[in-house]
Amino acid sequence: MPKPKAQLPWFGLMAALALFLLPEACIAGRRNKDCGFTLCGDVNISYPFRLTSQPRECGVRRLELECDSNNRTTLVMKYGRFYVQNISYVYHTIQVIDANLGRNDCSLPRSSFISDSICKTPYRASYHARSFMYLVNCTTPIKSSLYVDASRCPDRSFLPPTYFYFLDQQTKPRDFDQFCTVEARVPVELENISNVSTLDIYEKLLLGFELSWRYFDDHLLYCAEDKLQVM
Ligand SMILES: *[C@@H]1O[C@H](CO)[C@@H](O)[C@H](O)[C@H]1NC(C)=O
Ligand SMILES: *[C@@H]1O[C@H](CO)[C@@H](O)[C@H](O)[C@H]1NC(C)=O
Ligand SMILES: *[C@@H]1O[C@H](CO)[C@@H](O)[C@H](O)[C@H]1NC(C)=O
Ligand SMILES: *[C@@H]1O[C@H](CO)[C@@H](O)[C@H](O)[C@H]1NC(C)=O
Ligand SMILES: *[C@@H]1O[C@H](CO)[C@@H](O)[C@H](O)[C@H]1NC(C)=O
Ligand SMILES: *[C@@H]1O[C@H](CO)[C@@H](O)[C@H](O)[C@H]1NC(C)=O
């Protein structure tokens, strides 16, 4: 019985069309091999995740992580870098923390998490981390209860003078001061930041936040013009 043969021309045509029409990242296709686990620091990197240092065929490109020279697992996104604290392969979550943030220094959370098309980023804010705040940089001090001081080191001076504040995600456009620029959209596991002190905000930030990751077998995922189709 010559059954599978009849379907081959159709499949070949689809594959040729796919190769012709679709961006390279979305058709990485059959390369996604499970190469076993690898460790970066104490983070266990298993399929479908991969490290940049692994052979090309291992894991899924969209779930690529870097292992830096200090053995910190790093998630590099378009608007920021985050250190990975752990990955749950059971709950499909990943705990990350802004790579700019130090525990006992004057650093600011400068990385933004912005959900993109699933073809570009497989990460979504998880249930616990659906809130965020803005980090703004102002050329003049702002006296308003909406503006929470974002500096852990009040004496730190910038030239030209710069004042950093956190603004709640629900801040209305008219409450953005003309002397301020939004520097980052910072995820934080706080419902809102009204009446939360600067140090309490940093306590939360230093615990990181949780993202969910989705994984579709790449040859079932076709990404054309940013639209997702699972065939
Ligand atoms: C890493 O994770 C894989 C898959 O969950 C598991 O088989 C392996 O034992 C883990 N390795 C370590 C060192 O935890
Ligand atoms: C990183 O991990 C590797 C392998 O476990 C180890 O040989 C190396 O010394 C570590 N480097 C640092 C900076 O901790
Ligand atoms: C991941 O790390 C966070 C913060 O350290 C912790 O709350 C969470 O339980 C950890 N999850 C897993 C799966 O280890
Ligand atoms: C503050 O924002 C301005 C305008 O975007 C920028 O030029 C400047 O570098 C920022 N200052 C700091 C200290 O980030
Ligand atoms: C802010 O969050 C607290 C709980 O953390 C809640 O009681 C309060 O109603 C919230 N305020 C606004 C304006 O959402
Ligand atoms: C913040 O605290 C002040 C005084 O403790 C209180 O009057 C005010 O209603 C609080 N604001 C919010 C949004 O909870």
Side-chain angles (χ1 to χ4, degrees):
M1 275 226 297
K3 43 187 158 83
K5 249 192 174 158
Q7 297 190 348
L8 278 177
W10 178 83
F11 183 79
L13 178 64
M14 290 305 284
L17 270 176
L19 283 168
F20 180 69
L21 291 172
L22 305 175
E24 191 264 338
C26 289
I27 53 162
R30 329 278 117 93
R31 284 211 229 121
N32 307 332
K33 255 173 49 188
D34 182 349
C35 301
F37 74 88
T38 177
L39 293 174
C40 172
D42 55 9
V43 179
N44 183 336
I45 319 287
S46 300
Y47 187 84
F49 285 88
R50 57 169 272 113
L51 285 181
T52 45
S53 53
Q54 286 184 292
R56 284 175 68 95
E57 68 270 20
C58 296
V60 174
R61 271 272 308 271
R62 276 174 294 118
L63 287 163
E64 184 168 79
L65 302 170
E66 283 180 25
C67 192
D68 77 6
S69 53
N70 291 314
N71 286 343
R72 280 175 308 205
T73 310
T74 313
L75 169 60
V76 181
M77 301 193 87
K78 195 169 175 186
Y79 302 104
R81 296 171 70 85
F82 300 91
Y83 292 137
V84 177
Q85 289 166 303
N86 59 44
I87 301 173
S88 167
Y89 295 92
V90 177
Y91 298 110
H92 285 216
T93 56
I94 181 169
Q95 182 83 16
V96 301
I97 183 168
D98 188 326
N100 300 291
L101 270 186
R103 184 159 286 281
N104 296 309
D105 59 23
C106 301
S107 54
L108 294 156
R110 290 174 180 274
S111 292
S112 298
F113 174 74
I114 294 169
S115 290
D116 216 329
S117 133
I118 202 155
C119 291
K120 291 182 185 144
T121 159
Y123 302 103
R124 291 285 170 275
S126 84
Y127 173 77
H128 303 289
R130 271 182 306 187
S131 61
F132 64 90
M133 58 193 178
Y134 296 104
L135 173 71
V136 297
N137 137 357
C138 311
T139 53
T140 175
I142 310 292
K143 299 258 178 288
S144 156
S145 61
L146 296 175
Y147 286 69
V148 179
D149 193 350
S151 179
R152 285 182 281 179
C153 307
D155 297 338
R156 198 183 185 198
S157 52
F158 288 96
L159 279 175
T162 306
Y163 306 86
F164 290 95
Y165 298 95
F166 293 127
L167 279 176
D168 196 77
Q169 61 178 336
Q170 275 156 31
T171 305
K172 298 185 178 62
R174 63 163 196 255
D175 290 324
F176 282 89
D177 197 284
Q178 57 166 323
F179 292 107
C180 304
T181 312
V182 175
E183 294 263 303
R185 183 183 186 275
V186 181
V188 61
E189 293 191 0
L190 279 170
E191 200 183 314
N192 61 63
I193 59 167
S194 51
N195 279 0
V196 184
S197 74
T198 303
L199 289 180
D200 287 347
I201 290 176
Y202 277 94
E203 284 284 301
K204 275 287 179 192
L205 287 173
L206 288 164
L207 294 174
F209 64 100
E210 189 182 85
L211 296 175
S212 303
W213 51 273
R214 287 293 297 278
Y215 162 63
F216 295 103
D217 201 351
D218 266 8
H219 67 271
L220 297 176
L221 177 68
Y222 287 83
C223 298
E225 290 165 15
D226 279 1
K227 288 196 193 70
L228 169 71
Q229 288 169 23
V230 177
M231 303 184 55

